[in-house]
Amino acid sequence: MTGVTGRVALVTGASSGIGTATARLLAARGMRVVVDYLHSGTAAEKVVAGIEAAGGQAMAVQADVRQAAAIERMIEQVHAAWGGIDVLVHNALTPYVIKPFQDMTWEELGGKLNDEMRAAFVITKAVLPAMIEVGWGRIIYLGTGLSRQPREGMIALGTAKAALAQFARYLAQELGPRGITVNVVEPGPVEDTRMAAEVFDEEHKQRQVAATPLGRLAHPGDVAQVVAFYASEDNAFMTGTTATV
């Protein structure tokens, strides 16, 4: 088994925002990090270069997390270089529409549900064999506060992420005896993310800030700190939980 500092972490959707912050932090803590991306190859390579410049180890791999064959190729590539994946941070955000239920088609709602669950299913299936073999693993899914607190127009994302959170609880129960923990991190609004750019105008942002005890929106690094705890040796006994950031 890889040593504590040599654990291999796969972060999906790691070319920007929370994914990038998480990849950097896990690398700084001694993990070898796989930076998964879909379209942003240049950005992903930049993340890798930054990690390597700081003395860490990382590699960028392109894969659409909804495609089993693409995931399989990515896992094989990682196996060839570093062996099995010990930590999965599933952060990649599949597309979704922002509109009221009354204006929505089943394809829009059902499509998001299908994409969300297919991606989680496929990526989890792919990393599990190596985790089970060594009797240790950490799985962290990125959810959203919108799965608990509805907001106008966000029914597709909120419903899909609520399904993901329940999926995680079932997995936690099933995989606990194998030494694998499964947890969810649910950020509220986060600065400098694609979602924030798509969803918040300045007025909405100010309302969110006013409603936040710390008087600001979260930064990607705030979320990464919580993910890193769940990914670490320190988290030996928390599983099936959801952390709200």
Side-chain angles (χ1 to χ4, degrees):
M1 187 166 82
T2 51
V4 171
T5 54
R7 300 237 186 248
V8 177
L10 165 59
V11 184
T12 67
S15 62
S16 65
I18 293 167
T20 292
T22 300
R24 286 179 179 147
L25 183 56
L26 295 182
R29 295 189 177 181
M31 292 188 186
R32 294 173 288 173
V33 179
V34 182
V35 176
D36 160 74
Y37 68 95
L38 181 53
H39 300 301
S40 314
T42 307
E45 291 295 352
K46 206 169 156 186
V47 175
V48 170
I51 287 170
E52 289 176 343
Q57 285 183 277
M59 70 164 84
V61 185
Q62 194 270 345
D64 183 336
V65 291
R66 296 165 295 182
Q67 304 293 331
I71 294 298
E72 214 50 57
R73 282 195 300 273
M74 174 167 65
I75 300 296
E76 281 169 14
Q77 206 173 323
V78 176
H79 265 260
W82 291 340
I85 288 159
D86 303 294
V87 174
L88 168 65
V89 179
H90 182 43
N91 163 75
L93 189 62
T94 60
Y96 59 93
V97 298
I98 301 170
K99 56 168 68 170
F101 172 73
Q102 285 185 294
D103 300 337
M104 189 171 280
T105 64
W106 169 245
E107 284 68 32
E108 289 169 330
L109 182 61
K112 174 56 178 168
L113 271 165
N114 186 63
D115 279 355
E116 190 72 45
M117 295 313 302
R118 180 195 296 273
F121 182 93
V122 167
I123 194 82
T124 306
K125 279 271 191 187
V127 301
L128 268 184
M131 291 182 182
I132 288 169
E133 193 179 326
V134 297
W136 193 96
R138 300 283 184 266
I139 297 173
I140 302 102
Y141 299 112
L142 268 291
T144 170
L146 295 165
S147 68
R148 294 166 186 258
Q149 293 182 306
R151 201 167 71 69
E152 187 186 345
M154 301 304 287
I155 189 169
L157 180 66
T159 303
K161 289 293 189 182
L164 177 68
Q166 193 66 351
F167 173 74
R169 291 183 195 109
Y170 272 90
L171 278 183
Q173 185 184 40
E174 188 175 322
L175 298 175
R178 307 279 200 160
I180 300 165
T181 65
V182 185
N183 292 286
V184 179
V185 175
E186 289 187 349
V190 180
E191 293 263 30
D192 307 320
T193 59
R194 191 179 100 206
M195 194 167 140
E198 287 172 357
V199 177
F200 304 142
D201 55 25
E202 192 55 35
E203 184 196 345
H204 180 76
K205 183 180 161 182
Q206 292 314 318
R207 281 205 309 274
Q208 288 287 351
V209 168
T212 304
L214 290 169
R216 64 172 175 82
L217 295 189
H219 302 301
D222 296 319
V223 183
Q225 292 282 350
V226 181
V227 174
F229 164 71
Y230 275 137
S232 71
E233 305 286 336
D234 292 338
N235 175 38
F237 207 68
M238 286 174 69
T239 192
T241 71
T242 299
T244 303
V245 185

